[in-house]
Amino acid sequence: MEKYRFWFSKRFFVGILAFIGEMNIFALKANLNIAILDMTTAKEIDMGNSTITQSPEFNWDSKTKGFVLGVSDFGLLLSPIGGYLAMRFGGSTVLSISNLIISILTILTPLIIRFSFHLFIVDRIIEGITQGFRFVSFAELWSQWSPNRDRSKLMALTLTGLYAGPAIVYPIFGIVTHKYGWPATFYFSGGLSLLWSAIWIPLVPNSPESDRWISKEELSYIQRDPKQSRPKNMKAMWKSMMLSKPVYALGLVEMLHTYGYTVTVVCLPMYIQDLTGNKIDKVGIYSAIPTTINILTMPLTGYVLDYLKNTNLMTTTQMHKLFTCGALGSGGILLLVMAYLPYNFTIVMTCLILLKLAVSMIEVVCNLNVLALAPKCSSVLSSFMALFYMLGSASGPLVVAFIVTDHSPSQWNLSFIAFAVILCTGAVFYLIFGSGETQPWAFSTDEESKKCDQWQKDLSNTQTT
């Protein structure tokens, strides 16, 4: 009966809207990935009896392209502010306001970039700030909306939007850019984002207690979860959090995962164009292939994690280490295969599909690990994780741009080899220091004392027995 109720529950409806919201987040970040190909590529115009070559609208070299693609992620440095705001005013509130800001800036992007390159950089940084605020807002939202038994499924459903995004967005952006020019890509993505806001804002409050449409049975089901109070001394909590080994183990995985996500998504169109020479519309279609499979595998990962947790087959720490280390190690092997085997389109696409599968598993576990380590202050921890996210996301395009200067296969292979070594190193580090247990600094002092007293009482009862 509970399974039946889940599919018709308000929390599942919120999950569907969050899934679309994550697709929207990807679209607003990735519109430049496709548009930049049209913005910086010379075009051949058929004049009937002759063909003329039109110079690109923007003459950017590879380093400038890498900087432009990665600069928005520097805005994530302010994500801790977003974490505080989400905890103070609610995840849905911060998410809604941030989405409205980035939607308007996206629609204005063609006007801004043609007016001033420096103003365009400021625009991208502001968009990065709002992206960071939305990133941490989802953690706060699910800390309120998801009961522990359904948390993995709901989190995986939400994150699937990031991977459904490339499968749907890249082909559409490729066609829109090819037919109507690069400005249409920004108008299209910004307009859809505003439409999503019009649905989300009135229907999704900060918590189920504030929802006037949720059933009493579902509200009771969510409220039956063990509740934990927030730490009262935020300064002490920040200090303890920033000295925590499990936090840095998770941060390293977050950075590696984001680097891999960026390289395989942001730089993927450029890689395929370099090796196949296809036109922009076909590049968009090919770029979507590796991510399509994740639409199914990410929810499946969530169901498997919930099954293992609810049947007590594995501890949370064991589950997280198994999935994370396995994904990092297999990702490193796939990168080496791509680097050392002779180029073949089928082999490359197969490896990219499997690599995206590994990356998607890490995405689910990283977000669940945040909620596991600090259930009631997840937005704060998530905002700290955003700094690692920023390092991985911003460094991805920059590293590729500095290694792949003449777009040769050997240079792409070198970037894959370097990343493979880093992935395997990260797997070893997380295996040693990673954890899935709630940390002591994530509780208030009173609750931590109660937990300690209860632990000693249970121990005393055991010894008496």
Side-chain angles (χ1 to χ4, degrees):
M1 191 65 177
E2 286 184 357
K3 292 182 179 179
Y4 171 80
R5 290 185 184 136
F6 173 78
W7 297 110
F8 294 91
S9 65
K10 182 60 184 288
R11 62 188 185 279
F12 179 67
F13 174 75
V14 173
I16 294 295
L17 286 183
F19 164 83
I20 299 173
E22 289 281 11
M23 285 182 56
N24 169 51
I25 289 177
F26 174 84
L28 294 175
K29 181 178 176 63
N31 47 24
L32 185 62
N33 304 342
I34 293 294
I36 199 172
L37 301 177
D38 188 58
M39 296 162 63
T40 60
T41 303
K43 302 179 182 65
E44 292 186 352
I45 302 176
D46 188 3
M47 303 296 293
N49 296 328
S50 62
T51 301
I52 62 173
T53 301
Q54 184 181 36
S55 299
E57 187 168 353
F58 301 96
N59 290 304
W60 295 341
D61 58 22
S62 62
K63 292 182 176 60
T64 303
K65 292 179 184 178
F67 175 72
V68 167
L69 290 172
V71 70
S72 65
D73 294 305
F74 288 103
L76 295 176
L77 286 169
L78 298 181
S79 290
I81 298 176
Y84 170 77
L85 293 175
M87 192 169 65
R88 176 70 176 80
F89 300 104
S92 183
T93 299
V94 176
L95 181 64
S96 301
I97 295 174
S98 300
N99 195 74
L100 287 174
I101 294 173
I102 193 173
S103 301
I104 295 172
L105 289 177
T106 299
I107 294 174
L108 294 176
T109 293
L111 177 64
I112 293 173
I113 192 173
R114 283 170 170 162
F115 177 75
S116 168
F117 176 78
H118 295 92
L119 190 59
F120 169 63
I121 297 301
V122 173
D123 169 50
R124 293 297 292 179
I125 292 176
I126 294 175
E127 290 189 24
I129 294 173
T130 58
Q131 291 276 14
F133 282 17
R134 291 189 299 173
F135 174 77
V136 299
S137 295
F138 272 119
E140 176 65 24
L141 182 80
W142 284 126
S143 73
Q144 300 294 324
W145 273 94
S146 61
N148 191 49
R149 288 181 61 85
D150 299 330
R151 182 158 291 165
S152 299
K153 293 190 289 289
L154 290 168
M155 182 64 74
L157 174 62
T158 302
L159 297 173
T160 303
L162 283 175
Y163 294 85
I168 298 173
V169 167
Y170 270 148
I172 294 176
F173 282 2
I175 294 171
V176 169
T177 303
H178 179 70
K179 288 190 174 182
Y180 304 106
W182 62 267
T185 304
F186 295 99
Y187 302 145
F188 183 75
S189 57
L192 288 180
S193 181
L194 286 177
L195 178 61
W196 180 83
S197 291
I199 300 172
W200 175 273
I201 293 174
L203 294 180
V204 182
N206 293 316
S207 66
E209 289 82 2
S210 305
D211 191 350
R212 52 183 173 175
W213 289 294
I214 193 171
S215 67
K216 294 181 179 179
E217 293 79 7
E218 182 178 5
L219 181 59
S220 176
Y221 176 75
I222 295 175
Q223 291 177 332
R224 282 202 303 268
D225 253 17
K227 299 300 178 183
Q228 298 161 352
S229 56
R230 300 182 191 277
K232 297 177 181 178
N233 190 335
M234 294 297 294
K235 183 177 179 180
M237 190 214 72
W238 269 101
K239 180 180 179 181
S240 299
M241 183 180 71
M242 296 181 69
L243 295 176
S244 172
K245 291 180 182 178
V247 167
Y248 283 97
L250 175 60
L252 177 61
V253 173
E254 181 70 57
M255 184 175 67
L256 295 179
H257 146 259
T258 311
Y259 183 101
Y261 177 84
T262 305
V263 170
T264 56
V265 175
V266 175
C267 301
L268 183 58
M270 190 186 305
Y271 173 64
I272 293 177
Q273 187 181 48
D274 288 343
L275 297 186
T276 65
N278 283 292
K279 296 181 179 179
I280 292 176
D281 54 340
K282 292 185 178 179
V283 169
I285 295 173
Y286 288 142
S287 299
I289 294 175
T291 59
T292 303
I293 192 172
N294 296 132
I295 299 175
L296 298 175
T297 57
M298 285 192 74
L300 180 61
T301 300
Y303 271 94
V304 172
L305 286 168
D306 268 346
Y307 174 79
L308 293 174
K309 176 177 59 180
N310 295 333
T311 54
N312 297 317
L313 292 177
M314 302 178 71
T315 67
T316 304
T317 298
Q318 290 171 340
M319 288 190 302
H320 288 186
K321 287 187 176 182
L322 174 64
F323 278 76
T324 300
C325 297
L328 289 172
S330 60
I333 294 173
L334 289 168
L335 287 165
L336 293 176
V337 170
M338 291 174 60
Y340 284 106
L341 287 184
Y343 173 73
N344 177 279
F345 183 77
T346 303
I347 294 177
V348 168
M349 294 309 296
T350 301
C351 288
L352 286 173
I353 288 172
L354 295 175
L355 182 61
K356 291 295 292 178
L357 172 60
V359 170
S360 68
M361 290 172 58
I362 300 175
E363 176 84 29
V364 175
V365 176
C366 278
N367 283 271
L368 288 172
N369 208 171
V370 168
L371 290 170
L373 293 177
K376 294 303 292 183
C377 49
S378 57
S379 60
V380 175
L381 178 55
S382 183
S383 67
F384 187 53
M385 288 299 105
L387 302 180
F388 295 93
Y389 178 96
M390 181 273 295
L391 290 174
S393 186
S395 62
L398 291 175
V399 171
V400 171
F402 276 89
I403 295 178
V404 186
T405 55
D406 60 12
H407 298 268
S408 65
S410 61
Q411 291 180 343
W412 280 107
N413 293 342
L414 179 61
S415 67
F416 293 153
I417 293 171
F419 185 42
V421 173
I422 296 173
L423 281 182
C424 294
T425 303
V428 174
F429 190 85
Y430 188 81
L431 182 64
I432 297 174
F433 298 109
S435 174
E437 304 302 321
T438 303
Q439 300 300 294
W441 45 262
F443 298 100
S444 68
T445 305
D446 293 341
E447 182 163 353
E448 188 176 353
S449 298
K450 291 179 181 178
K451 288 175 66 68
C452 183
D453 292 342
Q454 183 63 42
W455 178 79
Q456 291 185 3
K457 182 178 179 181
D458 293 341
L459 180 62
S460 177
N461 291 337
T462 303
Q463 292 175 344
T464 301
T465 303

